[in-house]
């Protein structure tokens, strides 16, 4: 077996595997984005977006990756002269901090060490000072495989009157994101994660208040312009047409499965991944109490570097998982189990991991991880 991107077992932390129905949707001749056919597609997408967010609101699709969505939101809702609170505990929290600092001043950053939960009590204390305009946080910190418990912070944000702006890029359609209950004013999703569409679209949900406070921002990502056009099933500039066609199909697939169904499957896959990891004698990188359901971050086994684990998975078993970012490069590997990932993906990945650890003399017992997965697979109907 050798690496082959067309046939690999593909469990990186996003982009994720794409269903053939979604791939086929992109194989379509050019269409006039100002014509009736494409307006019909945009109309359908608008009607389907509440399925993705589990809430109604002002929802818009931007041509650009998830970071475009972050920039669209922060550039138009943060203000110079009003305080922004940023909570970070990984690479993407740090990205939020960098973007926020372009558009807001002052910015107070509360950082936890990578892999530890964001400092909720410190954040509450800052909010009690009463001068915070907006709180920016990442719901699922992909870089360290950790879910932040933003529900625990939500009442304090609400009491303070601050806007709650949430990077939900690897959370939406992967872990619970209760927009209305937790009072999120903006949630940014990425097409390439829980939704299992191709990379290249950012999907943004805004509350009534957030929409009413949009101001300034970048020209290309002007959310007010995008929303005004979307109300007419239109987009302000030429959109990434093939990606919109794929988005509609991915949303239809999600509707067929239901959001609850996808969250439940993602959770079961995550539990099986964690149990199999423990059975191999490997440790999670993040605080296990907050381990993410969309991506599991695992410390490299003692004495086995990236080349012997992740690169061997790809070269010998055609299994793609992801390495660490920044300071975690070579120290952890990450298994994504969101979108349309399913049980066979885990079986293949852990069978290959067992082989690699076995060759290195580090496998507790053959079948030990596979047994944990099999034990958690739903019984046949
Ligand atoms: N935020 C989070 C939590 C992410 O997981 C990612 C991508 O992995 C991003 C932001 C950046 O998204 P993109 O690479 O689509 O711009």
């Amino acid at each position: 077996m050798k690496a082959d991107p067309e046939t690999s077992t593909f469990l990186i932390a996003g982009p994720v595997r794409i269903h053939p129905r979604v791939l086929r949707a992109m194989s379509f001749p050019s269409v006039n984005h100002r014509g009736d056919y494409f307006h019909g597609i945009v109309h359908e997408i608008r009607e389907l977006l509440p399925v993705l967010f589990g809430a109604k609101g002002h929802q818009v699709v931007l041509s650009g990756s998830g970071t475009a969505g972050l920039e669209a939101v922060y550039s138009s809702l943060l203000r110079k002269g009003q305080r922004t609170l940023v909570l970070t505990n990984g690479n993407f929290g740090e990205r939020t901090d960098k973007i926020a600092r372009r558009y807001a001043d002052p910015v107070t950053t509360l950082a936890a060490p990578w892999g530890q939960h964001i400092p909720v009590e410190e954040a509450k204390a800052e909010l009690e000072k009463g001068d915070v305009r907006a709180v920016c946080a990442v719901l699922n910190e992909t870089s360290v495989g950790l879910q932040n418990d933003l529900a625990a912070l939500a009442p304090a944000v609400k009491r303070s009157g601050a806007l709650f702006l949430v990077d939900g890029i690897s959370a939406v359609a992967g872990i619970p994101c209760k927009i209305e209950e937790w009072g999120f004013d903006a949630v940014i999703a990425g097409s390439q994660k829980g939704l299992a569409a191709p990379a290249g679209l950012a999907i943004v949900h805004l509350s009534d208040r957030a929409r009413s406070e949009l101001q300034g921002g970048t020209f290309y990502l002007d959310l007010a312009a995008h929303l005004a056009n979307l109300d007419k099933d239109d987009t302000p500039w030429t959109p990434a047409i093939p990606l919109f066609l794929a988005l509609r199909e991915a949303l239809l697939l999600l509707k067929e499965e239901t959001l609850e169904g996808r969250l439940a499957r993602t959770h079961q896959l995550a539990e099986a991944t964690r149990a199999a990891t423990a059975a191999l004698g490997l440790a999670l990188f993040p605080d296990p109490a907050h381990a993410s359901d969309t991506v599991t971050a695992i410390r490299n086994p003692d004495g086995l570097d990236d080349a012997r684990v992740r690169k061997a998975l790809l070269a010998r078993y055609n299994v793609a998982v992801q390495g660490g970012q920044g300071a975690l490069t070579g120290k952890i590997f990450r298994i994504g189990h969101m979108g349309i990932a399913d049980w066979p993906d885990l079986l293949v990945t852990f069978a290959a991991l067992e082989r690699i650890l076995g060759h290195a003399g580090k496998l507790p017992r053959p079948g030990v991880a596979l047994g944990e997965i099999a034990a958690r697979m739903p019984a046949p109907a």
Side-chain angles (χ1 to χ4, degrees):
M1 185 123 221
K2 64 181 176 54
D4 174 2
E6 287 198 285
T7 59
S8 63
T9 300
F10 194 69
L11 293 184
I12 74 167
V16 304
R17 181 156 59 80
I18 302 173
H19 194 285
R21 264 174 60 184
V22 177
L23 292 175
R24 279 196 299 273
M26 285 188 290
S27 290
F28 203 81
S30 283
V31 294
N32 177 4
H33 58 294
R34 303 294 179 216
D36 289 346
Y37 182 80
F38 193 70
H39 285 163
I41 301 283
V42 175
H43 187 78
E44 250 189 276
I45 289 173
R46 278 177 60 196
E47 291 193 332
L48 286 165
L49 285 179
V51 176
L52 173 67
F53 286 108
K56 290 197 169 135
H58 307 279
Q59 296 167 343
V60 68
V61 183
L62 303 171
S63 297
S65 75
T67 306
L70 299 176
E71 183 137 37
V73 167
Y74 301 146
S75 65
S76 55
L77 286 169
L78 303 182
R79 303 276 189 269
K80 300 272 184 199
Q82 293 179 52
R83 191 153 78 105
T84 294
L85 185 60
V86 176
L87 306 171
T88 109
N89 54 349
N91 182 53
F92 293 109
E94 291 182 4
R95 182 173 303 178
T96 275
D97 193 53
K98 283 188 195 138
I99 304 172
R101 283 174 187 279
R102 293 217 172 178
Y103 299 102
D105 183 37
V107 175
T108 304
T109 306
L110 298 179
W114 285 29
Q116 298 302 307
H117 197 271
I118 50 167
V120 172
E121 293 311 315
E122 273 180 64
K124 286 183 185 165
E126 290 298 330
L127 286 165
E128 271 166 26
K129 295 177 187 166
D131 64 341
V132 174
R133 168 175 171 78
V135 179
C136 302
V138 180
L139 181 51
N140 187 77
E141 184 44 86
T142 326
S143 62
V144 295
L146 186 149
Q147 285 176 207
N148 283 312
D149 181 8
L150 298 188
L153 187 62
V157 178
K158 194 171 197 162
R159 263 196 314 279
S160 77
L163 288 164
F164 206 169
L165 312 180
V166 175
D167 172 347
I169 289 171
S170 64
V172 169
I175 66 171
C177 175
K178 300 188 180 168
I179 292 181
E180 279 155 11
E181 190 180 324
W182 299 340
F184 293 160
D185 290 293
V187 176
I188 301 101
S191 49
Q192 78 274 34
K193 307 273 184 182
L195 180 57
L201 296 176
I203 309 157
V204 176
H205 167 101
L206 297 177
S207 66
D208 289 341
R209 176 179 168 203
R211 183 173 188 173
S212 72
E213 293 191 19
L214 293 172
Q215 198 182 87
T218 75
F219 184 83
Y220 187 74
L221 301 170
D222 183 338
L223 285 170
H226 279 271
L227 283 162
N229 276 269
L230 207 61
D231 287 343
K232 299 175 278 173
D233 298 328
D234 211 347
T235 54
W237 341 117
T238 310
I241 295 168
L243 297 184
F244 274 59
L245 297 174
L247 172 66
R248 176 186 57 168
E249 200 62 37
L251 287 166
L252 284 172
L253 273 172
L254 178 62
K255 187 178 175 192
E256 288 160 25
E257 184 176 9
T258 75
L259 181 60
E260 295 68 33
R262 185 157 302 184
L263 298 186
R265 186 165 46 77
T266 306
H267 177 65
Q268 287 165 8
L269 294 175
E271 296 233 293
T273 302
R274 291 190 282 264
T277 300
L280 291 176
L282 302 181
L284 295 183
F285 177 76
D287 176 350
H290 299 287
S292 162
D293 275 356
T294 55
V295 50
T296 297
I298 302 167
R299 290 179 193 273
N300 275 23
D302 279 347
L304 292 191
D305 60 13
D306 232 20
R308 290 186 69 191
V309 181
R310 197 167 56 86
K311 292 181 184 160
L313 278 172
L314 190 59
R316 285 199 244 137
Y317 302 99
N318 201 19
V319 170
V321 300
Q322 199 151 21
Q325 295 175 296
L328 294 176
T329 306
K331 297 195 173 138
I332 65 167
F333 64 98
R334 293 174 294 155
I335 301 176
H337 28 68
M338 60 191 130
I340 60 166
D342 218 330
W343 295 98
D345 297 310
L346 290 192
L347 289 172
V348 170
T349 302
F350 277 92
L353 266 174
E354 285 200 7
R355 298 270 299 173
I356 290 167
L357 292 178
H359 282 305
K362 288 181 183 287
L363 181 64
R365 184 168 48 80
V368 72
L370 292 176
E372 292 293 341
I373 294 166
R376 285 165 179 79
M377 287 173 66

